[in-house]
Amino acid sequence: ASEGLRADRIWFMEMNTRLQVEHPVTEEITGVDLVEWQLRVASGEPIPLRQEELAIDGWAMEARLYAEDPAKGFLPSIGRLEYFDLGGYRIETGVTVDDEISPFYDPMIAKLIVHADNRQEAIWDLEAACRTTDVWPVRTNAAFLTKILNEPDFAAGQIDTGFIAAHQERLTDPPELGEEALDVAVHLLLDGDTSIGGLEMSGLRLNAPPVRRVLLDIDGNKREAIIPDDWSEYANYMARAYWDGSKLIKFDEGHAFVTSLYEPRGTGASGSASDGAILSPMPGKIIAVDVAAGDAVTKGQKLLTLEAMKMEHSLTAPFDGVVAELNAVAGAQVQVEALLAKIEAAE
């Protein structure tokens, strides 16, 4: 007969009848193929090695490459992989160039795995793997991972569950294009490299000294660069760049920098949250609408919840005001930049 629930009669057990995402780490330090072992055991064979026959060699480390944008609150990033180069380390992935990253699955698109003699060398190798991860136009967390691996506290093992929150601003701010990468971008833009989309400009001016400075637009920010006198030093430099038909994408530090010659812009108003327009940041499904047309709302108040890539994202009011327009309906699928609501500022 049951004795009912008692504190000393409750047990919890977890059993995962699958390999963990990090199984390559075990494989790298033991030299075994766990997938092969699974297939052999499932076929009725005994486990190939006994516990006492296993040994650990060196240090392995793995990073999960996610299709997300850390600079935008880790929002999932979707679209076609026009450019997808993950370098020469051990890579496990189910996608390749021209594949489509959809909003319907987990945002992990690859695993980067390294093996070295010790932990510090593994960190250096994994940092190099993340730093040279080049993906466009889908955004990834490669730059975020690169910064984590460069953190002294991480190298020292001084980490806990509050590590990312404690360093979040530094970890999630987009990196700046390095000076060497900037020089290469100038070279590709100005030296007529038609395979990349060069613009065939040399700085020559009639009856005046050549212009040795050029203004570039990098991710929407103006930056001045010097045109080198001699391009020969870049002849053997890995360009790590992609011309998408209208602009140069220069890869550096795990980030894809949208690069072009700077052109002064007008000061017209933009359609963004600053004017009360609430746009969908990605394709997804609206799972909850918390306001109605005509409702008064306060800054930061949740308006609706969007679901994409197995994650929920709350969209909030940018300022105090009234819901002047509401196009969101629970259960509806929406596309990126769809106008979901509009808030009019309180008078």
Side-chain angles (χ1 to χ4, degrees):
S2 172
E3 298 182 30
L5 291 175
R6 293 205 325 245
D8 62 347
R9 294 179 57 83
I10 299 175
W11 298 270
F12 295 92
M13 181 177 70
E14 178 188 17
M15 181 177 69
N16 285 324
T17 55
R18 61 174 177 81
L19 291 179
Q20 297 295 319
V21 171
E22 285 73 31
H23 75 266
V25 171
T26 302
E27 294 179 346
E28 289 290 332
I29 62 175
T30 60
V32 303
D33 186 332
L34 293 178
V35 175
E36 178 188 351
W37 279 29
Q38 276 196 325
L39 295 174
R40 289 186 177 277
V41 171
S43 299
E45 298 181 20
I47 292 178
L49 295 174
R50 296 187 299 272
Q51 183 67 44
E52 59 271 18
E53 297 176 294
L54 295 171
I56 292 177
D57 175 31
W59 198 286
M61 194 170 289
E62 175 184 306
R64 299 185 183 193
L65 185 69
Y66 274 57
E68 64 185 10
D69 190 347
K72 294 183 178 179
F74 296 93
L75 284 175
S77 180
I78 69 169
R80 186 171 68 88
L81 293 168
E82 296 179 15
Y83 194 94
F84 190 66
D85 185 351
L86 304 187
Y89 293 86
R90 177 174 174 178
I91 306 296
E92 296 202 349
T93 184
V95 297
T96 188
V97 174
D98 285 335
D99 281 351
E100 194 80 18
I101 304 301
S102 83
F104 305 117
Y105 304 100
D106 187 285
M108 186 173 68
I109 56 175
K111 298 184 292 185
L112 314 178
I113 306 103
V114 299
H115 178 251
D117 291 337
N118 54 63
R119 185 174 186 273
Q120 184 56 64
E121 290 182 6
I123 290 175
W124 289 335
D125 287 347
L126 189 58
E127 189 271 345
C130 294
R131 175 166 39 84
T132 56
T133 290
D134 302 338
V135 182
W136 176 262
V138 174
R139 294 293 186 178
T140 75
N141 64 335
F144 172 75
L145 295 170
T146 300
K147 290 183 177 182
I148 288 178
L149 292 160
N150 278 314
E151 278 290 328
D153 285 348
F154 183 87
Q158 301 297 319
I159 54 176
D160 54 28
T161 55
F163 173 80
I164 292 177
H167 303 82
Q168 185 160 349
E169 184 174 350
R170 184 162 65 252
L171 295 176
T172 57
D173 278 352
E176 185 175 277
L177 189 65
E179 289 298 329
E180 188 174 53
L182 178 66
D183 288 343
V184 173
V186 172
H187 171 54
L188 295 174
L189 282 170
L190 302 186
D191 202 41
D193 185 344
T194 54
S195 66
I196 298 294
L199 302 180
E200 300 181 358
M201 297 176 64
S202 64
L204 176 66
R205 293 192 301 170
L206 294 176
N207 303 317
V211 175
R212 306 312 306 169
R213 298 177 182 272
V214 63
L215 290 178
L216 299 184
D217 184 316
I218 301 176
D219 282 351
N221 299 311
K222 183 170 67 173
R223 185 166 171 187
E224 184 180 86
I226 305 298
I227 303 175
D229 293 315
D230 180 13
W231 294 114
S232 61
E233 63 182 290
Y234 302 107
N236 297 317
Y237 186 87
M238 182 67 73
R240 292 183 54 215
Y242 171 68
W243 182 259
D244 76 347
S246 62
K247 53 190 173 297
L248 176 74
I249 311 301
K250 181 69 188 80
F251 301 107
D252 190 41
E253 300 296 322
H255 185 75
F257 293 89
V258 181
T259 309
S260 62
L261 294 179
Y262 177 77
E263 296 181 3
R265 298 178 177 83
T267 57
S270 61
S272 65
S274 63
D275 62 11
I278 308 300
L279 307 180
S280 175
M282 76 204 83
K285 179 181 179 180
I286 297 173
I287 60 173
V289 179
D290 297 281
V291 295
D295 283 359
V297 294
T298 57
K299 181 179 180 180
Q301 180 178 336
K302 185 169 71 171
L303 306 174
L304 56 97
T305 304
L306 186 69
E307 181 183 59
M309 283 187 168
K310 298 167 64 175
M311 297 175 64
E312 295 183 2
H313 308 275
S314 295
L315 302 183
T316 60
F319 41 71
D320 295 350
V322 175
V323 180
E325 185 177 343
L326 183 65
N327 302 318
V329 178
Q333 293 282 344
V334 295
Q335 296 302 312
V336 64
E337 295 190 351
L339 179 63
L340 304 179
K342 189 172 180 64
I343 308 300
E344 286 186 353
E347 294 182 358

